């Protein structure tokens, strides 16, 4: 997949001042990278590939662990002094915001994440990490230490040609509201929690 750097600017945060790099894709999707330090060196760089979650990242939902994972990744990169966070615009495991809200409504009736997506006619997880591989390649990043608990994400990036030298566990505290969600991630998606 072809990606193009469309814009670059500074993004001051409570953790560090990141370089914010905007990417356009041939499909018209837009993605961003938060980059810090010398991320283009020959040494493997600390990296997170994070899928957009408006409810968790911006609205502080406790139904998932997305917001705390993003914040923890920003803190880890800041502490290390170099790294990248690839922020992919693939809301709701790739089904979009409104469909994610519909899946939430199904979960309110007792279904888990997988069951809710399937009853709506979607794959349990429709995310695609090829664009992340293209973004990393465009940035000249040769090898990464990937912050993830998701073995499928790790395998997908490796299959796309990314040299993942290490899986860095990326655990965050759960809440009473996401216990079932976290159990589903472990049981049905094989996440290493």
């Amino acid at each position: 997949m072809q990606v193009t750097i469309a814009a670059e600017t500074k993004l001051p945060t409570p953790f560090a001042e990141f370089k914010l790099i905007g990417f356009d894709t041939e499909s018209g999707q837009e993605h961003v990278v938060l980059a810090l330090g010398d991320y283009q060196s020959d040494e493997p760089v600390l990296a997170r590939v994070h899928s957009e979650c408006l409810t968790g990242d911006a609205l502080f939902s406790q139904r998932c662990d997305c917001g705390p994972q993003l914040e923890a990744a920003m803190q880890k990169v800041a502490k290390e002094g170099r790294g990248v966070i690839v922020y992919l615009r693939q809301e709701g495991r790739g089904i979009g915001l409104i469909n994610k809200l519909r899946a939430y409504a199904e979960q309110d009736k007792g279904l888990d994440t997988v069951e809710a997506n399937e009853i709506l006619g979607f794959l349990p997880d429709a995310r695609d990490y090829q664009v992340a591989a293209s973004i990393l390649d465009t940035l000249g990043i040769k090898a990464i230490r990937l912050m993830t608990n998701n073995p499928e994400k790790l395998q997908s990036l490796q299959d796309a040609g990314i040299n993942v030298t290490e899986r860095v566990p990326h655990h965050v505290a759960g809440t009473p509201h996401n216990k079932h969600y976290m159990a589903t991630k472990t049981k049905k998606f094989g996440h290493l929690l």
Side-chain angles (χ1 to χ4, degrees):
M1 171 176 288
Q2 187 174 351
V3 298
T4 307
I5 295 176
E8 294 185 33
T9 189
K10 296 175 185 175
L11 183 70
T13 74
F15 316 111
E17 183 173 278
F18 289 91
K19 179 194 281 188
L20 185 64
I21 308 166
F23 286 84
D24 284 329
T25 66
E26 53 196 340
S27 66
Q29 278 191 311
E30 299 171 327
H31 306 282
V32 296
V33 169
L34 289 92
L36 186 67
D38 183 15
Y39 55 88
Q40 295 175 317
S41 75
D42 290 335
E43 291 294 313
V45 65
L46 185 63
R48 166 99 179 133
V49 175
H50 187 90
S51 295
E52 176 181 37
C53 177
L54 177 72
T55 53
D57 296 342
L59 302 178
F60 311 106
S61 171
Q62 293 189 352
R63 291 182 83 129
C64 64
D65 59 344
C66 302
Q69 282 190 340
L70 178 59
E71 185 174 328
M74 293 173 73
Q75 290 173 339
K76 287 178 182 178
V77 168
K79 183 176 180 181
E80 186 139 323
R82 66 185 282 269
V84 294
I85 299 168
V86 180
Y87 193 89
L88 299 178
R89 305 290 305 279
Q90 48 186 8
E91 181 79 45
R93 295 191 177 277
I95 66 174
L97 178 60
I98 298 304
N99 286 322
K100 180 173 96 169
L101 299 181
R102 290 179 179 128
Y104 276 179
E106 295 298 328
Q107 292 169 40
D108 291 343
K109 299 174 189 173
L111 298 182
D112 66 27
T113 304
V114 171
E115 296 162 343
N117 281 12
E118 289 177 337
I119 205 165
L120 294 172
F122 298 105
L123 294 171
D125 191 341
R127 293 177 292 180
D128 178 5
Y129 298 107
Q130 179 62 51
V131 69
S134 297
I135 288 170
L136 291 168
D137 185 57
T138 298
L139 290 174
I141 295 172
K142 307 291 186 218
I144 63 172
R145 296 169 35 240
L146 183 65
M147 291 181 274
T148 190
N149 303 320
N150 183 346
E152 185 177 322
K153 183 188 299 183
L154 175 69
Q155 189 63 55
S156 293
L157 289 170
Q158 289 175 326
D159 290 348
I162 299 300
N163 180 11
V164 181
T165 63
E166 177 186 1
R167 180 188 77 85
V168 178
H170 196 58
H171 302 162
V172 296
T175 73
H177 302 284
N178 70 13
K179 280 184 184 177
H180 188 59
Y181 171 76
M182 301 296 278
T184 300
K185 284 174 71 169
T186 302
K187 183 178 179 184
K188 293 191 175 180
F189 291 115
H191 284 214
L192 306 168
L193 298 177

